[in-house]
């Protein structure tokens, strides 16, 4: 039995205490004196209610809340919210300090570090040649999305970063006396500033706001974190395998970034073709600005003088070529560095970067898409080649140590980011393509495409794609929607010419139900020269990623892919593209559709099927995981999640979405960003050992058991969400779903179709976000208890089988571990308070009792299978974190439930409801307390 009795959180408690003390000082000096007293009173009353859940204790708490005016309540909520922000900083800083201690005391660094992972590899017999084979396939690709679950303003995120940095400085043992007092005063003033910064947006975010919010993390943390990841990996290889091996290994640029921000138009009418172009240009500006900053650092370092070094002949040839290209301006640019050859070269390179930036700025300003005449770099490859010439020249005169400084970092960044920064995915729903293709066939050939069966559609699509120059049709007779769809492909072709062929990753088709859905996109692409056949040669400059989202889609993935790969035209186009076939799996909608067990198992089986088909047909592939922040949307620790994938399916390649608040918690601080990236990459490396050695296959009996558990769990989940009278009323009334839209946290509507209140219409993000706010996180666990209990049926041998699965099967262990986290965040007593908001009291009581009963059953059975005394016994860090949060989260939930009632009772269209703004602040505050909300 696993317990957490030995866990020591003294360091975390000390961090929390110091920051909380400073917050208390700020509130006493800057806020109404009643605020701190009210916060403490609510905490005490909630703690008493937790110990003794009686009507009298509940009445005490509610009487305190009802006696607070709106302005006082607003300040109380803000105090709770600020506490959560400081608690998050305390946890992050403590974790960083613990890792530093690991490094000081243990050469292996922290568990999951590059050093630790490579040492494990070496002990397992992985040779340098094996490591090279693995590295050749390695590709780690996190994809930023603008899904609306990040409630923090950018101003607040910046302020929190400053507080983190200031608090970190206090860990410096050299900081004593006057200097420490100064640091404490600085930290105090920053917390005071944060208290006086409004955390709620005054207007809705538009798509440009979302683009800029994503770009915010690169200069803040990700540029430096990326450089350090490569640097640490190189050092770890040398430490474990030796310096010679480190020099011999070809370490590729295995880390790249993707983005949906400005490219994802599925259900978001605000994303237009010109939005996509604007997003790519803003990305291009961000990366060139970083290169300019870093080339200054390189130029400052490389102060070698003529006569004291001998640059290579290739270097001088390159310098003369630049002078000839730039012309009369070259001597002016070089005049400060007449004795320093490398600085001369770097000054000319800097000028060419400035010219490219000027070109980008002009296009951002006026949207001009033609070729502007200037001396800028035409491609990232040209810039990289110049840097490589300098590197080789430095090596030629023995300055290896100098190469390993800023120059090597810059080379790695150029190899990673190019001139595009992030590879953009475009996403659209399959129906839009089918309707556009139907219009084109009607207009061009008089054919009724929508009346055709799948076989006929595939035949005509293959023939049409191969038509040189595309189909001939009258564009003026096309609908506005089809014109917009076609215009997107025009923009994609234009931006490939403008920024480079790597600026796009894939075209993602949501709700893929048939092979024709993929072929339709390729036909639309052919109309703008992105795919087709000419002179007997196929060409393809676009990759298509079908997205399988629902349980039914996952069950049909085999037939859809086999049908697709049986199309000669598609196989030719895939080969011509030189790309892997990417398949995207949707965690969010599949979980909303059939529950966590059916979703997790459907996704697992789908990956196995993809691998089997790809191996059978010799097609390289990559899986794209559409994960959210919460367990109900595929979230959880990335390292463990990758290791829980089916054996031999990862093969060095993984791509996954990073959504909402996940970006903030992983990337707002450089040190944490470096840790998160490292853990993800090492998880990928471990899961990819099948590339160099056989791995143990899943046990057939485990697969059979899991299949039965998934069926039982799905039946229970659908019974609740689809066949229980009043369930949808409960969802809309017993959660703050209707009020979340007022928080202005995203440009995307919460529903696919207006006025459609069905489960299918509500977006998975809004679904999970709302349940989490009301402490009913049942999408992440509902059905687990019933399925375990039903399958065991009182038979000890079956319980023993489940316990063995938990011990030996990473997938099952990860599933139940994540369920423990979600179960811990649920609170059925608090959920009961939200249930009272239902118009029909009996509906509220009935559905709450169903959810509460399954929560109890799930806790009981998960602990039984895990052989643990309490939830999260194996994860004491998280258990302690949730404990510290709960005394603040609980009062906030009661405040929120009360405010929802007040807002709905006084609902009007005047916008003068005094309770609405405090309610929106509770959503922000609870999101900060729950951490992974959407």
């Amino acid at each position: 039995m696993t317990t957490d009795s030995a866990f020591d959180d003294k360091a975390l408690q000390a961090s929390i205490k110091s920051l909380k003390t400073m917050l208390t000082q700020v509130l006493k000096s800057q806020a109404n004196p009643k605020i701190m007293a009210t916060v403490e009173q609510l905490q005490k009353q909630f703690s008493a209610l937790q110990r003794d859940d009686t009507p009298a204790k509940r009445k005490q708490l509610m009487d305190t809340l009802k006696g607070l005016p709106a302005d006082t309540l607003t300040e109380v909520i803000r105090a709770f919210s600020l506490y959560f922000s400081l608690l998050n900083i305390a946890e992050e800083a403590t974790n960083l300090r613990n890792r530093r201690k690991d490094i000081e005391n243990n050469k292996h660094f922290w568990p999951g570090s590059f050093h630790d992972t490579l040492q494990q590899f070496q002990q397992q017999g992985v040779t340098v040649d094996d490591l090279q084979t693995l590295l050749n396939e390695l590709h780690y690709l996190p994809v930023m999305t603008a899904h609306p679950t990040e409630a923090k303003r950018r101003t607040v995120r910046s302020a929190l970063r400053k507080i983190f940095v200031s608090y970190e400085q206090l860990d410096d043992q050299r900081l004593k006396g006057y200097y420490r007092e100064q640091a404490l005063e600085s930290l105090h003033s920053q917390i005071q500033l944060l208290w006086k910064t409004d955390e709620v947006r005054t207007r809705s975010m538009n798509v440009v706001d979302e683009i800029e919010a994503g770009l915010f993390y690169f200069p803040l943390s990700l540029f430096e974190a990326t450089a350090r990841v490569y640097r640490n990996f190189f050092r770890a290889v040398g430490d474990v395998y030796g310096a010679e091996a480190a020099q011999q290994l070809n370490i590729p640029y295995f880390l790249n970034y993707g983005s949906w921000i400005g490219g994802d138009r599925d259900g978001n009418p605000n994303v237009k073709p010109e939005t996509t172009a604007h997003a790519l240009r803003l990305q291009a500006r961000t990366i060139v600005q970083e290169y300019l900053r870093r080339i200054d650092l390189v130029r400052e370092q490389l102060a070698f003088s003529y006569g004291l070094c001998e640059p290579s002949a290739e270097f001088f040839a390159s310098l003369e070529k630049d002078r000839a290209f730039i012309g009369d301006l070259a001597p002016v640019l070089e005049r400060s560095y007449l004795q320093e050859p490398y600085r001369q070269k770097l000054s000319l390179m800097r000028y060419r970067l400035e010219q490219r930036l000027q070109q980008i700025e002009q296009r951002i300003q006026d949207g001009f898409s033609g070729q502007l005449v200037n001396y800028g770099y035409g491609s990232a490859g040209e810039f990289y080649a110049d840097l490589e010439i300098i590197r080789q020249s430095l090596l030629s005169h023995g300055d290896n140590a100098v190469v390993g400084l800023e120059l090597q970092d810059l080379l790695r960044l150029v190899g990673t980011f190019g001139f595009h920064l992030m590879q953009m995915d475009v996403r659209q729903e399959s129906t839009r393509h089918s309707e556009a293709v139907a219009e084109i066939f009607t207009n061009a050939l008089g054919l009724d495409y929508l009346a055709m069966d799948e076989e006929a559609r595939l035949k005509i699509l293959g023939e049409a794609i191969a038509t040189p120059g595309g189909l001939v049709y009258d564009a003026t007779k096309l609908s506005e929607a089809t014109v917009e769809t076609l215009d997107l492909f025009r923009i994609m072709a234009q931006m490939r010419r403008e920024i480079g062929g790597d600026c796009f990753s894939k075209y993602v088709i949501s709700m893929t139900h048939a092979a024709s859905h993929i072929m339709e996109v390729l036909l639309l692409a052919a109309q703008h020269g992105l795919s087709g056949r000419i002179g007997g040669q196929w060409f393809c400059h676009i990759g298509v990623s079908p997205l399988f989202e629902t349980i039914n889609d996952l069950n049909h993935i085999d037939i859809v892919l086999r049908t697709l790969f049986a199309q000669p035209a598609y196989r030719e186009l895939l080969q011509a593209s030189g790309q892997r076939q990417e398949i995207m799996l949707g965690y969010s909608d599949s979980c909303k559709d059939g529950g966590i067990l059916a979703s997790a198992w459907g996704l697992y089986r789908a990956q196995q099927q993809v691998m089997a088909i790809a191996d059978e047909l010799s097609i390289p592939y990559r899986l794209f995981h559409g994960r959210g922040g919460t367990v109900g949307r595929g979230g959880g620790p990335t390292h463990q999640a990758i290791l829980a994938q089916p054996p031999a399916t990862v093969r060095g390649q993984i791509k996954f979405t990073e959504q909402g608040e996940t970006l903030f918690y992983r990337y707002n601080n450089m040190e944490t960003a470096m840790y998160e990236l490292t853990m993800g990459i090492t998880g990928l490396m471990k899961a990819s050992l099948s590339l160099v050695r056989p791995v143990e296959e899943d046990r057939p009996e485990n697969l059979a058991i899991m299949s039965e558990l998934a069926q039982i769990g799905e039946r229970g989940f659908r019974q609740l969400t689809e066949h229980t009278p009043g369930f949808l009323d409960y969802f809309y009334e017993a959660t703050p779903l209707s009020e979340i839209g007022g928080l202005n946290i995203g440009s995307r509507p919460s529903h696919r179709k207006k006025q459609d209140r069905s489960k299918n219409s509500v977006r998975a993000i809004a679904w999970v976000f709302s349940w989490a706010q009301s402490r009913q996180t049942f999408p992440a666990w509902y059905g687990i208890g019933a399925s375990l209990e039903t399958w065991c049926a009182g038979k000890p041998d079956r319980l023993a089988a489940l316990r063995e699965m938990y011990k030996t099967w990473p997938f099952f262990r990860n599933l139940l571990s994540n369920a423990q986290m979600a179960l811990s965040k649920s609170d059925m007593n608090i959920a009961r308070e939200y249930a009272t908001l239902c118009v029909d009291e009996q509906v509220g009581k009935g559905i709450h009792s169903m959810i509460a009963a399954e929560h109890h059953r799930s806790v009981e059975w998960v602990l039984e299978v895990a052989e643990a005394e309490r939830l999260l016994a194996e994860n004491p860090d998280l258990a302690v974190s949730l404990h510290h949060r709960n005394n603040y989260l609980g009062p906030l939930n009661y405040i929120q439930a009360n405010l929802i009632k007040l807002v709905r009772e006084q609902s009007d269209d005047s916008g003068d409801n005094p309770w609405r703004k405090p309610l929106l602040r509770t959503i922000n505050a609870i999101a900060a307390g729950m951490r992974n909300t959407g």
Side-chain angles (χ1 to χ4, degrees), residues 383-554:
F383 180 44
Y384 187 91
D386 272 352
L387 291 170
E388 181 62 22
I389 285 171
I390 294 174
R391 189 181 82 91
Q392 291 294 340
S393 182
L394 289 169
L395 292 174
S396 73
H397 50 74
D399 283 292
N400 304 47
V402 178
V403 167
L405 301 175
E406 298 293 343
L407 176 62
Q408 190 66 61
D409 282 350
L410 181 52
L411 273 161
R412 286 166 176 158
L413 292 185
V414 178
T416 299
F417 295 110
F419 276 158
H420 55 271
L421 183 67
M422 297 183 280
Q423 290 186 300
M424 180 173 287
D425 282 329
V426 170
R427 182 172 74 142
Q428 182 57 282
E429 199 264 333
S430 59
T431 306
R432 285 291 298 267
H433 310 129
S434 299
E435 292 171 350
V437 166
E439 279 193 48
I440 291 171
F441 275 131
T442 299
N443 194 305
L445 304 171
L447 297 174
D448 188 352
Y449 175 76
L450 295 179
M452 298 178 186
D453 61 20
E454 177 70 358
E455 185 178 353
R457 288 187 181 189
L458 288 169
K459 184 175 185 297
I460 195 171
L461 286 166
E463 293 173 356
I465 292 169
T467 303
L471 298 173
V472 179
Y473 53 87
D474 184 354
T476 62
K477 295 182 179 180
L478 299 177
S479 67
E480 185 178 342
T482 295
V483 169
E484 183 178 307
T485 299
L486 283 168
D487 199 36
L488 170 61
F489 291 93
R490 179 187 63 79
I491 287 290
M492 290 180 71
Q494 172 189 316
M495 298 312 292
R496 289 185 81 256
R497 293 190 296 269
E498 182 179 313
I499 293 178
D502 291 334
C503 66
F504 288 103
S505 179
K506 301 292 181 183
Y507 194 111
V508 178
I509 308 170
S510 55
M511 295 299 168
T512 300
H513 307 308
S516 59
H517 287 160
I518 294 94
M519 296 294 284
E520 287 166 356
V521 169
L522 289 168
L523 174 61
L524 296 170
Q527 307 314 300
H528 286 287
L530 289 169
S531 66
R533 188 182 184 192
I534 190 165
Q537 296 293 315
W538 290 90
F539 64 94
C540 187
H541 304 304
I542 184 172
V544 181
S545 180
L547 167 52
F548 298 92
E549 300 175 82
T550 66
I551 299 296
N552 190 51
D553 288 340
L554 293 172

Side-chain angles (χ1 to χ4, degrees), residues 265-276:
R265 59 243 313 125
D266 176 23
N268 192 344
N270 302 306
V271 179
K272 303 294 184 183
E274 55 270 23
T275 311
T276 301

